[in-house]
Amino acid sequence: MTHRLNHRAGRSGPPRLGRRLALGLAGAALAAPALRAQSAAIRIIVPFAPGGSTDAVARLAAPGLTQRLGHPVIVENRSGAAGAIGTEAVVKAAPDGQTWLLTFDSHAVLPALLPNLAFNITRDLDPVMLIGGAPYVLATRPDRPFRSLSEFVAAAKAQPDAISYGSTGNGTIGHLTMVLLQSRTGTRMAHLPYRGGGLAVNDTVAGHVDAMIGSAALVAPHIAGGTLRALAQFGPTRLPALAPVETAEEAGFPGLQAEAWWGVFAPSGTPTSGIDRMNAALRESLTEERVRRQMEETQQARLVLSDPAGLRTFLDRQIEVWGGVVRSNAIRAD
């Protein structure tokens, strides 16, 4: 009898324990990827160095996105090649909603400026949102003789190649705006490309260059402080912070618009549901009162917060306009 009881225990006790252990291990193995997915950080790649407006916009949005998406959101700077290095990292990332690109207006110029790109910006990236824009502004020292865009152009006509202007780099939208202005007015100006907006501002304030073109976020504090005077803003309407400054169109240059802008993209093939979720989270995060105020005051931004289709249409137009300026003037990156 004892033998039979022990025999039954030997057959039935340990196998049940083994099955439970095996099932538990299998469940843990299946749960591990899910747990990792829940805790995995979402990356927003900014293809420029820290400190610029694109980096600032990403970091303003990140806390709200963390809250709404339920994952930590990390801003990762990958600068170089006019934004191409960071953009390529996103193109090569898995389309799983873990990696996003937040980039700047120069994105639209990449195909024309760098014809040997290893990716196609319209085929290899899916649009998510046009966040908004801020006009480019032409500014000079207050003691310079020109007080408007018309007077600046007149001085350039009178002295070909003598009037100089700085920009934040060769092939940037600011530079291309001035190239377009010269082609429309038959003027020639000396271009000084800088490696950053701060350097261009410093040399303009110091009088080493006659004028500079930069985003409103870059020059507005210096205009308010009296170290620079705005000659024109290139947005569709006047900014509240620069209400006395006429737009280029008001100055007699129809269609001459140039805005810094920020857009969000995903690797091609990212599920529509994921794109829509990110779009909604961005919209809610950027319309928080504190964030919206900082965007409008610090970045001088006109918020758009478009749907994906709106960004696609906008980007196509930007590529057409600025790519044409690059190609017709044989402009190359520094």
Side-chain angles (χ1 to χ4, degrees):
M1 183 69 172
T2 303
H3 174 73
R4 284 196 298 272
L5 288 172
N6 287 342
H7 181 67
R8 289 192 192 101
R11 287 190 314 178
S12 60
R16 286 176 184 167
L17 179 61
R19 282 196 296 273
R20 284 196 295 268
L21 180 60
L23 288 171
L25 290 173
L30 290 170
L35 289 172
R36 283 196 296 271
Q38 288 174 4
S39 61
I42 292 173
R43 295 187 304 160
I44 295 181
I45 292 183
V46 171
F48 306 101
S53 69
T54 313
D55 180 64
V57 171
R59 294 182 191 280
L60 276 173
L65 292 176
T66 295
Q67 176 186 348
R68 290 170 174 86
L69 297 174
H71 297 261
V73 173
I74 297 172
V75 177
E76 183 177 320
N77 299 91
R78 291 204 186 183
S79 61
I85 290 175
T87 301
E88 185 172 1
V90 176
V91 165
K92 291 180 176 179
D96 56 5
Q98 296 297 117
T99 306
W100 307 83
L101 175 72
L102 200 162
T103 191
F104 194 53
D105 56 37
S106 56
H107 184 76
V109 187
L110 281 178
L113 199 62
L114 301 171
N116 295 321
L117 278 178
F119 55 87
N120 182 298
I121 66 170
T122 56
R123 185 188 63 224
D124 297 332
L125 291 166
D126 289 339
V128 178
M129 172 183 280
L130 173 61
I131 291 175
Y136 274 90
V137 177
L138 182 66
T140 187
R141 266 173 62 123
D143 61 358
R144 284 296 193 262
F146 18 80
R147 305 187 66 85
S148 67
L149 181 58
S150 297
E151 290 182 6
F152 182 76
V153 169
K157 282 185 176 180
Q159 307 171 70
D161 296 317
I163 301 297
S164 60
Y165 72 93
S167 77
T168 55
N170 208 47
T172 59
I173 299 298
H175 173 216
L176 300 181
T177 301
M178 296 303 289
V179 170
L180 195 55
L181 177 66
Q182 291 171 81
S183 69
R184 290 189 180 184
T185 58
T187 55
R188 296 198 314 269
M189 306 175 197
H191 176 222
L192 283 77
Y194 289 85
R195 293 287 181 181
L199 296 173
V201 167
N202 290 343
D203 270 12
T204 307
V205 170
H208 301 315
V209 61
D210 291 313
M212 67 156 291
I213 186 166
S215 72
L218 176 64
V219 301
H222 301 277
I223 294 167
T227 55
L228 287 177
R229 180 175 66 226
L231 299 176
Q233 52 185 310
F234 291 87
T237 58
R238 298 189 188 194
L239 274 180
L242 297 173
V245 182
E246 63 184 3
T247 67
E249 291 190 322
E250 290 172 334
F253 300 92
L256 187 55
Q257 293 186 16
E259 287 191 284
W261 56 268
W262 306 275
V264 178
F265 296 83
S268 179
T270 299
T272 301
S273 59
I275 288 177
D276 290 343
R277 186 168 179 240
M278 174 59 85
N279 183 284
L282 279 165
R283 184 182 306 277
E284 292 174 8
S285 299
L286 292 168
T287 51
E288 288 181 16
E289 179 60 25
R290 177 189 63 83
V291 176
R292 182 191 59 77
R293 187 169 59 250
Q294 284 192 263
M295 286 290 294
E296 291 175 351
E297 294 177 0
T298 306
Q299 301 302 326
Q300 298 298 316
R302 177 180 57 83
L303 291 177
V304 176
L305 308 179
S306 79
D307 60 13
L311 174 55
R312 173 69 74 194
T313 300
F314 176 82
L315 179 63
D316 288 346
R317 177 61 179 156
Q318 291 288 297
I319 292 172
E320 178 186 356
V321 171
W322 299 116
V325 176
V326 169
R327 287 187 292 269
S328 61
N329 292 276
I331 294 169
R332 289 291 174 263
D334 293 335

